[in-house]
Amino acid sequence: MNLRRYAAVLLTVALTAGCGGGPADDSGSGELVFANWQWLEPGRGEALWQAVNGYTATDPAVTLKQQAIARKDYESTLKTQIGARGGPDILIVPDTFLPELAEAGALEPLDDVLDDAGRAALNATNDAGVLDGKQVGYAWEIVNYALFWNTALLDRAGVQPPTDFPGLVAAAKTIKEKTGNPGFAVRHQINEEAPWWIDFSNWSYGFGGAWSRDGALTIDSPQNVAAVTAFRDMYESGAMAVGDDASTFRSKFKAGTVGMMIDNSSALATMVAGNTVVPSTGVGASPLPFPARASGQAGFFVGINAFSTNKTAAKKWLRWFYGADPQKQAAAALGASVLGTDTTPPAEFVTANPWVPTFQAQAALSTDAVIDGFETATPRIRHIVLTEVEKVLVDGADPAVALARAQEAAEKLR
Amino acid sequence: MTRADRLAPYIFASAAALYLLVFTAWPLLDGVWLSFTDTGLLNPAAGEWVGTDNYAALFADPRFAGTLGVTLLYSAATVAGALLLGTAGAVLLDRSFRGRTTLRALLTLPWAAPTVAVALIFVWILNHDDGVLNGVTEAAGLGRHGWLTAYALATVTAVSVWKVFPFVLLVVLAALQTVPRELVESAVVDGAGPATVFRRVTWPFLVPTLRVIALLMTIWSFRRFEIIWLLTQGGPVDRTTTLVIDVYRTAFLESDLGRSAATGTIGLLLSAAATVAYALAERRSTAKDLT
């Protein structure tokens, strides 16, 4: 037994292990890792990638690499990576996640990144990317919500598109009775907590409610109680796709077996892209059939990881992306979404997708699901509220009592 | 014996010891340490010592009592179900009949199938509108049911039992092979019926094995994550939120590593309690055998 040799091997292994992974120099070249769940979306993912990857033609010293993470695991995956001071160089950040990342110092301030022309082209959607006086993200897309339906299925059931909530429930029931398919689908389970919160905010805003006003929580407001009551009535109608998560009911809509949905333009664009069963021209859309015309929106921002070792290159990419041509290409890929500049999708896209103007018109009346005054507490308040909503749906709890409980629990978080 | 010969066993053991130290002991102790800090997921280096605050917050939260209750109920039901089904299956398969080998292979399939695939298939089977199960119950005039809503805990437990009972079956089947045939035969000759033979002859041979399996199954049930997460993610209304689901949710959704570690430490203590209970039962049994 040669002890010295054994010790030498151990030492070599230990030294080798300690030598890897040193910081790369921030030279403005090299590989940029770009995180986004949308890379996984069939068709649209490729088009989006082409839009962002166009930069490499102007700067061959930079290459872009996708980091595709499933939407439901997106925040938790990034938190783990960034917590370990790693993660992608560029990332798409949902608006509900932006305050948490910014507070942790994980987003690079971007105030000086764009040149004058780039800044002049920005629209008001970028204001939501300013936190504590710093621009930590630029708008990638703002997606609006509307009610939409499979025209052929509604015709088969002999129902007209509803214009108010009782009409929505009645239409859903008739579709279920006449065709055997769910009349309506929407997210309704805690296992999709983050996106359900955004979706559910449509009901609150649509019934004239809000999660906070003037720095105080308004979870148990009469408008929110009315919204939860309506949601429960739809859930209990027997005509809703109960138990289906978004990927399931979206697949069903795509296959022509769901009548109506409340969902965002981004999801609808993906469902109808290349779809011969439910083509884009076979879809109708209208504002939400609720008393107020307000609705929710999902805002997604482009940020740069403060712990990236390649921030210079990432900023160069960002400066390029907010130029006119890349924005045009992004608008073509993102379709009905509102971009960070006033770039609109090509006219032929709007012609081919007649539902687009309905979603676009909703931009002026939509609000994000971040709770004003409680930005970083939004995820915890979200869990409290949605758990209480589930009690209403599953246990038959009284909406007013449930929301009062949620209000009390959320106030204790301060 | 040379110095090198004397040191050789320690050198050989050192690699395994180092592995255990780095990959088991260190993370475990680090987890316990974290539970006394306010560490956040996005900024782990900024965590500060908060004493027992995380534990105080946990025990003051009514949700935590529910989580603990769900963990104990789920674990007890899963262990009992798996032991019962596994033992019954083993006794059945210990007999000689045509097709026994095929049946053995079929019954071990759930254990061999990947958990993620199993969970996803059950999500389809249990779907309210299009699931096979509701199709069957409706055809039988029993209506449609919210298997993953109204009966979430029972459903998750049933799927877990289905997934793990083959392990019990295989181990008990192996234990049954150790029962001396001559003892069984002499009991039969003495006029004992099948039930008496099982109770008086077979059962004493199975008890030590069942005790070990019960311990393992209990600890595994405390720690089981994938099936529950993929079926319900702890919902609805936290009805299937066990300690590990809470650990994940607190750490990765609420970014609170300190509190998550406190929940994890309580889970660790539960597993330790199960091990102590096993050791006590084992000691009592040994003492009884000696008298």
Side-chain angles (χ1 to χ4, degrees):
Chain A
M1 170 73 52
N2 186 339
L3 282 176
R4 275 191 205 128
R5 183 178 294 171
Y6 186 82
V9 169
L10 271 182
L11 191 66
T12 310
V13 169
L15 286 174
T16 313
C19 285
D25 64 293
D26 193 4
S27 60
S29 60
E31 185 177 85
L32 286 174
V33 177
F34 195 145
N36 189 355
W37 64 92
Q38 291 168 322
W39 306 145
L40 296 169
E41 293 175 5
R44 218 166 71 118
E46 288 89 352
L48 272 175
W49 184 247
Q50 272 185 4
V52 303
N53 200 35
Y55 177 69
T56 54
T58 66
D59 186 356
V62 171
T63 53
L64 266 80
K65 186 183 169 191
Q66 290 185 7
Q67 186 185 3
I69 306 167
R71 178 66 190 94
K72 65 199 284 188
D73 300 322
Y74 190 73
E75 281 93 339
S76 57
T77 305
L78 286 181
K79 278 186 204 177
T80 312
Q81 294 177 341
I82 291 171
R85 299 299 177 254
D89 302 293
I90 307 169
L91 59 159
I92 299 302
V93 190
D95 50 13
T96 46
F97 189 32
L98 200 66
E100 194 180 355
L101 281 179
E103 193 190 44
L107 293 174
E108 180 74 4
L110 305 172
D111 300 271
D112 301 327
V113 173
L114 302 189
D115 54 23
D116 290 344
R119 268 197 294 272
L122 297 176
N123 60 28
T125 60
N126 293 281
D127 295 349
V130 179
L131 294 172
D132 284 335
K134 289 177 191 163
Q135 185 87 45
V136 291
Y138 284 111
W140 166 259
E141 66 164 337
I142 308 295
V143 291
N144 295 309
Y145 283 78
L147 172 75
F148 56 86
W149 54 85
N150 175 339
T151 311
L153 205 59
L154 262 65
D155 288 347
R156 241 174 77 199
V159 299
Q160 290 300 310
T163 53
D164 57 14
F165 181 69
L168 178 70
V169 177
K173 282 181 174 174
T174 310
I175 293 166
K176 179 76 179 175
E177 279 167 24
K178 296 275 172 67
T179 70
N181 295 306
F184 181 74
V186 73
R187 281 195 178 99
H188 57 280
Q189 298 176 111
I190 203 90
N191 59 13
E192 298 185 282
E193 186 180 311
W196 183 25
W197 175 251
I198 299 170
D199 290 7
F200 187 72
S201 293
N202 279 303
W203 294 69
S204 166
Y205 303 162
F207 278 81
W211 300 118
S212 72
R213 280 193 212 284
D214 304 325
L217 290 168
T218 54
I219 294 167
D220 60 349
S221 69
Q223 293 88 348
N224 286 348
V225 172
V228 174
T229 306
F231 197 84
R232 179 202 60 192
D233 292 347
M234 176 50 88
Y235 181 90
E236 289 178 350
S237 68
M240 183 171 140
V242 170
D244 286 358
D245 61 10
S247 66
T248 306
F249 66 69
R250 285 173 180 171
S251 298
K252 287 181 179 176
F253 187 86
K254 204 173 164 180
T257 57
V258 168
M260 302 175 290
M261 278 170 64
I262 289 177
D263 211 335
N264 63 62
S265 55
S266 193
L268 178 54
T270 307
M271 284 185 276
V272 296
N275 189 348
T276 51
V277 182
V278 185
S280 198
T281 47
V283 172
S286 73
L288 303 182
F290 299 147
R293 279 290 175 238
S295 62
Q297 63 170 218
F300 304 111
F301 293 81
V302 194
I304 293 177
N305 183 357
F307 307 110
S308 159
T309 52
N310 210 356
K311 283 184 275 199
T312 304
K315 287 176 182 176
K316 278 163 60 185
W317 173 85
L318 194 68
R319 196 173 302 128
W320 167 84
F321 183 68
Y322 282 88
D325 288 339
Q327 284 290 294
K328 266 186 207 159
Q329 211 177 340
L334 289 166
S337 304
V338 174
L339 269 65
T341 60
D342 289 332
T343 315
T344 49
E348 56 269 27
F349 176 83
V350 180
T351 312
N353 298 280
W355 43 269
V356 169
T358 304
F359 283 89
Q360 286 177 329
Q362 203 59 27
L365 300 161
S366 64
T367 313
D368 64 39
V370 182
I371 306 176
D372 290 338
F374 300 82
E375 287 81 1
T376 53
T378 296
R380 282 182 293 164
I381 297 174
R382 172 181 78 196
H383 184 68
I384 290 168
V385 174
L386 292 181
T387 300
E388 289 298 337
V389 174
E390 260 201 337
K391 283 183 189 170
V392 173
L393 303 181
V394 178
D395 291 345
D398 179 74
V401 174
L403 289 186
R405 264 198 311 260
Q407 172 87 17
E408 193 185 340
E411 280 176 347
K412 282 185 187 160
L413 291 176
R414 270 211 140 162
Chain B
M1 187 181 274
T2 64
R3 184 166 156 264
D5 288 340
R6 278 198 310 276
L7 287 174
Y10 298 102
I11 291 168
F12 284 125
S14 67
L18 190 71
Y19 175 86
L20 287 175
L21 196 71
V22 172
F23 293 105
T24 305
W26 177 255
L28 195 77
L29 293 174
D30 198 40
V32 175
W33 166 261
L34 271 180
S35 73
F36 294 102
T37 68
D38 62 356
T39 306
L41 180 61
L42 275 167
N43 203 356
E48 286 180 3
W49 179 264
V50 294
T52 55
D53 283 7
N54 287 323
Y55 292 93
L58 274 184
F59 288 111
D61 184 351
R63 270 181 59 211
F64 182 69
T67 300
L68 211 54
V70 168
T71 308
L72 294 173
L73 195 61
Y74 166 77
S75 301
T78 305
V79 173
L83 286 180
L84 219 72
L85 210 59
T87 308
V91 170
L92 178 78
L93 288 179
D94 193 42
R95 292 157 193 273
S96 180
F97 59 89
R98 210 174 151 173
R100 185 172 71 158
T101 313
T102 312
L103 192 60
R104 266 188 197 183
L106 281 176
L107 285 176
T108 52
L109 272 181
W111 177 256
T115 307
V116 174
V118 164
L120 292 177
I121 289 168
F122 268 102
V123 167
W124 296 336
I125 291 172
L126 301 165
N127 183 280
H128 186 274
D129 289 320
D130 302 313
V132 177
L133 187 57
N134 267 346
V136 172
T137 54
E138 193 169 43
L142 300 170
R144 291 180 173 270
H145 302 278
W147 300 108
L148 291 172
T149 50
Y151 312 113
L153 184 57
T155 304
V156 166
T157 305
V159 174
S160 303
V161 168
W162 179 84
K163 178 80 180 78
V164 300
F165 92 89
F167 175 77
V168 181
L169 185 147
L170 289 175
V171 177
V172 173
L173 197 57
L176 283 172
Q177 314 295 313
T178 67
V179 180
R181 293 289 152 191
E182 58 272 27
L183 273 184
V184 176
E185 282 161 13
S186 57
V188 172
V189 169
D190 288 345
T196 311
V197 170
F198 181 76
R199 202 171 68 241
R200 298 285 183 194
V201 181
T202 311
W203 183 249
F205 281 92
L206 292 185
V207 170
T209 305
L210 287 174
R211 211 179 284 139
V212 177
I213 303 175
L215 172 70
L216 289 175
M217 299 290 283
T218 305
I219 293 173
W220 290 343
S221 298
F222 287 156
R223 292 170 28 183
R224 189 163 295 114
F225 178 78
E226 309 100 303
I227 288 180
I228 306 172
W229 186 254
L230 290 168
L231 286 177
T232 61
Q233 289 198 17
V237 201
D238 291 334
R239 213 169 275 164
T240 56
T241 299
T242 58
L243 285 173
V244 282
I245 298 290
D246 202 29
V247 165
Y248 182 85
R249 183 188 290 284
T250 314
F252 295 103
L253 298 184
E254 296 177 12
S255 308
D256 191 344
L257 278 188
R259 189 165 157 170
S260 170
T263 309
T265 304
I266 289 167
L268 182 72
L269 290 175
L270 268 183
S271 296
T275 312
V276 168
Y278 165 77
L280 289 176
E282 193 68 29
R283 187 191 286 180
R284 227 176 83 184
S285 165
T286 311
K288 204 171 151 190
D289 287 348
L290 289 173
T291 53

